[in-house]
Amino acid sequence: GNSVTQMEGPVTLSEEAFLTINCTYTATGYPSLFWYVQYPGEGLQLLLKATKADDKGSNKGFEATYRKETTSFHLEKGSVQVSDSAVYFCALPANQAGTALIFGKGTTLSVSS
Amino acid sequence: NAGVTQTPKFRVLKTGQSMTLLCAQDMNHEYMYWYRQDPGMGLRLIHYSVGEGTTAKGEVPDGYNVSRLKKQNFLLGLESAAPSQTSVYFCASSYYSGQDLSYEQYFGPGTRLTVT
């Protein structure tokens, strides 16, 4: 089956700093790739996705580009805010049937003012 | 439109007790999932269902059972709780957008279970 590796946290940044969270994957074929975010005390919600190679997903100032050459889907934001403090998960389908997702272990981001 | 709801939000059990967690979705999704979240482990899939009356095992199914008698509900049962089952449990549901093989999972707010 497919697998995903995500950089360990926690990541601590000051407001307006640049953010990168690394995510690499192994997969059969070219599955869709996802970033989910979990705010304190809540369930996960979709942040962005990319469905094919070279696609760029974007939302709320976050971006990630589907790189098949490096099998990566790194999350970036140019200027983080305190409200971005959360846990971020990279995910992809567990197999080609696409009936379930597998998630990375999550990266905790803390942003201070 | 409530999305995905979970009942209860918190529960404390003694070792050996049983309980059922209820998940309900009002989005007419075919697929439903149960995950557990533990520190440093991310989310791990317990069981899932691709339609009413069908269930399948995920990564960590031991000690749990599930049922999907109605499309909108997915129940997770613990027959004899153990301290190792102390965790936060999340339910999710999804549609399947066939053409591009992508789909989004919608998550409930979670149930925090402590087994003493």
Side-chain angles (χ1 to χ4, degrees):
Chain A
N2 300 337
S3 66
V4 58
T5 301
Q6 184 177 341
M7 67 180 280
E8 300 281 332
V11 175
T12 303
L13 295 173
S14 298
E15 209 165 22
E16 299 183 2
F18 184 84
L19 169 71
T20 299
I21 300 177
N22 291 339
C23 171
T24 57
Y25 66 91
T26 58
T28 303
Y30 302 104
S32 296
L33 302 175
F34 305 84
W35 277 101
Y36 280 78
V37 59
Q38 183 181 30
Y39 297 104
E42 298 183 9
L44 280 70
Q45 56 185 274
L46 181 67
L47 178 60
L48 54 83
K49 70 178 183 182
T51 58
K52 58 184 185 292
D54 299 325
D55 258 6
K56 178 184 284 188
S58 61
N59 187 24
K60 299 182 180 180
F62 291 88
E63 293 183 339
T65 301
Y66 192 135
R67 304 279 190 204
K68 67 176 182 179
E69 302 85 3
T70 55
T71 62
S72 65
F73 192 53
H74 304 323
L75 182 68
E76 297 181 334
K77 186 173 186 181
S79 176
V80 294
Q81 305 300 312
V82 172
S83 57
D84 294 326
S85 298
V87 184
Y88 294 83
F89 295 88
C90 187
L92 74 162
N95 50 49
Q96 285 193 303
T99 50
L101 291 178
I102 54 171
F103 291 84
K105 293 186 177 182
T107 302
T108 299
L109 170 65
S110 296
V111 181
S112 58
S113 58
Chain B
N1 190 334
V4 180
T5 57
Q6 292 183 233
T7 309
K9 289 186 168 50
F10 303 93
R11 186 71 185 269
V12 178
L13 288 179
K14 295 186 188 305
T15 298
Q17 288 185 320
S18 64
M19 79 163 294
T20 300
L21 282 66
L22 171 63
C23 176
Q25 53 96 1
D26 60 3
M27 296 173 283
N28 202 34
H29 286 168
E30 287 295 330
Y31 300 170
M32 296 187 74
Y33 311 84
W34 277 107
Y35 296 91
R36 60 178 290 173
Q37 184 178 29
D38 303 292
M41 302 294 290
L43 266 74
R44 293 182 292 170
L45 183 64
I46 305 171
H47 287 280
Y48 65 99
S49 168
V50 299
E52 182 178 324
T54 70
T55 63
K57 294 180 180 179
E59 181 185 355
V60 289
D62 294 342
Y64 305 95
N65 57 74
V66 288
S67 65
R68 183 105 181 262
L69 298 180
K70 293 183 179 180
K71 186 177 183 179
Q72 63 268 32
N73 295 337
F74 195 29
L75 279 63
L76 177 70
L78 287 73
E79 289 188 347
S80 179
S84 60
Q85 294 177 305
T86 293
S87 188
V88 180
Y89 292 85
F90 287 99
C91 177
S93 70
S94 73
Y95 59 88
Y96 181 77
S97 55
Q99 284 192 330
D100 63 5
L101 297 180
S102 71
Y103 58 98
E104 173 183 354
Q105 292 193 7
Y106 294 79
F107 283 79
T111 295
R112 186 173 294 276
L113 175 65
T114 302
V115 183
T116 61

